[in-house]
Amino acid sequence: MDKPVSQQKLKTEGLEDTLTREGFVVRSVQRLVDGAEKLNLKHSAVGNPPVFPTDAFPWAREVEAEWRLIRGELDKILVRKGELPAFHEISSEVRSISSDQNWKTFFLCGYGIKSEEAIRQCPETWRILQKIPGLKSAMFSIFEPGKHLPPHRGPYNGVLRFHLGLIVPDQPDKVGIRVDDQTCHWEEGKALIFDDAYEHEAWNHSDEVRVVLFVDFEKPLTFPASLTNKAVLNMAVFTPFIREGYKAHKAWEKLFYGEGTKHR
């Protein structure tokens, strides 16, 4: 069910405002960003529920059908899990909600930047990701046992989030995610699609690791919101958040893969 606009707040709570950090050029077009969020709610082609039925996006079933190929590539990455970076070490904007080593990530792409080495490590995952229209970012998101992300809101409502369960402890009473007033549970091989502009929190209170394929994709919108949303998302690559994250990830990759890593 859609929520009133007032329930999807137009300012981030619990996360640093990554689009308007001091000194960034987007500050000069903040009115565009604020206006875009309002337009996105008004012109959504798929409504504005906190959690979407999987069949609202036909490509999601195609991704589910090949999940074991993704899991196979993930298993190879997890052999070196102890060397993977904590999420906040790559994405500084999450430090207000996570600053420990219990949320790790393996980055594939994000807002115009790719890790060519990661794509070489996970060619089937990358091929399958191309099924997702408007793909903006993709990574493996790893919750160590005991991890709990407190309530927070994403920085911009022009994207939706797709989780594909890859390793999920069979303990639904201890592993889950709340989006607005809905509590959901990941399942291996199953998609979960939600709007992270609603308040949400996630937890793994089990004694096992939980891993999902974590994707942001453009929210389907009608004109004129479709145009303004693309403009805002295309600006993201110029934000300090993205630039600093790229530098941090590049430094980590040099250690993980060696100096021969190539990026673009």
Side-chain angles (χ1 to χ4, degrees), residues 12-52:
T12 298
E13 293 188 354
L15 280 178
E16 186 176 351
D17 188 344
T18 58
L19 289 178
T20 57
R21 190 184 300 185
E22 187 68 23
F24 176 53
V25 68
V26 171
R27 182 179 55 185
S28 65
V29 290
Q30 183 58 42
R31 289 181 183 176
L32 170 63
V33 174
D34 289 343
E37 286 218 313
K38 295 175 183 177
L39 279 175
N40 293 344
L41 290 169
K42 184 177 180 182
H43 292 277
S44 173
V46 290
N48 296 296
V51 179
F52 290 84

Side-chain angles (χ1 to χ4, degrees), residues 172-190:
D173 58 324
K174 295 182 178 180
V175 184
I177 181 170
R178 177 186 63 81
V179 185
D180 192 49
D181 59 356
Q182 297 185 44
T183 298
C184 305
H185 301 282
W186 301 283
E187 296 181 55
E188 293 185 0
K190 299 298 183 182

Side-chain angles (χ1 to χ4, degrees), residues 4 34-35 60 79 95 122 141 147 152 189 208 211 249:
D34 289 343
V79 170
R95 288 175 184 160
C122 302
S141 174
K147 183 60 181 174
H152 59 286
E208 303 173 44
V211 186
H249 193 266

Side-chain angles (χ1 to χ4, degrees), residues 148-160:
H148 190 131
L149 285 184
H152 59 286
R153 201 215 98 151
Y156 177 60
N157 71 1
V159 294
L160 297 177

Side-chain angles (χ1 to χ4, degrees), residues 26-260:
V26 171
R27 182 179 55 185
S28 65
V29 290
Q30 183 58 42
R31 289 181 183 176
L32 170 63
V33 174
D34 289 343
E37 286 218 313
K38 295 175 183 177
L39 279 175
N40 293 344
L41 290 169
K42 184 177 180 182
H43 292 277
S44 173
V46 290
N48 296 296
V51 179
F52 290 84
T54 300
D55 288 331
F57 303 91
W59 51 262
R61 295 299 186 190
E62 296 180 30
V63 175
E64 286 182 339
E66 299 196 86
W67 82 275
R68 291 190 182 279
L69 292 175
I70 301 173
R71 170 64 186 269
E73 293 182 338
L74 168 67
D75 287 343
K76 295 177 182 178
I77 298 299
L78 291 181
V79 170
R80 300 176 66 184
K81 179 168 68 71
E83 300 173 59
L84 299 181
F87 207 119
H88 73 276
E89 294 173 339
I90 302 300
S91 300
S92 61
E93 92 285 4
V94 305
R95 288 175 184 160
S96 59
I97 60 169
S98 181
S99 59
D100 57 32
Q101 297 296 310
N102 291 332
W103 186 17
K104 295 183 180 294
T105 183
F106 184 80
F107 170 88
L108 290 156
C109 70
Y111 295 90
I113 294 172
K114 296 178 184 177
S115 169
E116 298 291 0
E117 186 61 39
I119 291 169
R120 279 193 288 271
Q121 297 287 317
C122 302
E124 289 298 312
T125 299
W126 186 247
R127 176 186 62 80
I128 295 165
L129 284 168
Q130 305 316 300
K131 297 176 182 288
I132 303 178
L135 175 70
K136 301 307 296 182
S137 67
M139 65 199 76
F140 294 130
S141 174
I142 303 160
F143 272 16
E144 297 283 8
K147 183 60 181 174
H148 190 131
L149 285 184
H152 59 286
R153 201 215 98 151
Y156 177 60
N157 71 1
V159 294
L160 297 177
R161 184 151 296 164
F162 169 87
H163 282 180
L164 178 67
L166 296 174
I167 300 177
V168 182
D170 187 19
Q171 302 179 59
D173 58 324
K174 295 182 178 180
V175 184
I177 181 170
R178 177 186 63 81
V179 185
D180 192 49
D181 59 356
Q182 297 185 44
T183 298
C184 305
H185 301 282
W186 301 283
E187 296 181 55
E188 293 185 0
K190 299 298 183 182
L192 172 64
I193 303 172
F194 64 97
D195 187 341
D196 85 322
Y198 288 102
E199 181 184 273
H200 57 287
E201 63 180 314
W203 56 90
N204 176 17
H205 295 157
S206 77
D207 56 2
E208 303 173 44
V209 170
R210 183 241 61 177
V211 186
V212 300
L213 179 65
F214 176 117
V215 171
D216 282 345
F217 64 96
E218 290 183 30
K219 185 175 185 177
L221 302 166
T222 60
F223 181 85
S226 55
L227 295 184
T228 58
N229 188 46
K230 286 184 182 296
V232 171
L233 292 174
N234 287 339
M235 289 191 302
V237 72
F238 302 108
T239 64
F241 156 54
I242 296 294
R243 293 200 309 266
E244 292 169 8
Y246 169 71
K247 290 178 182 178
H249 193 266
K250 184 176 181 180
W252 172 79
E253 285 201 333
K254 286 181 177 179
L255 294 174
F256 191 74
Y257 298 114
E259 293 293 336

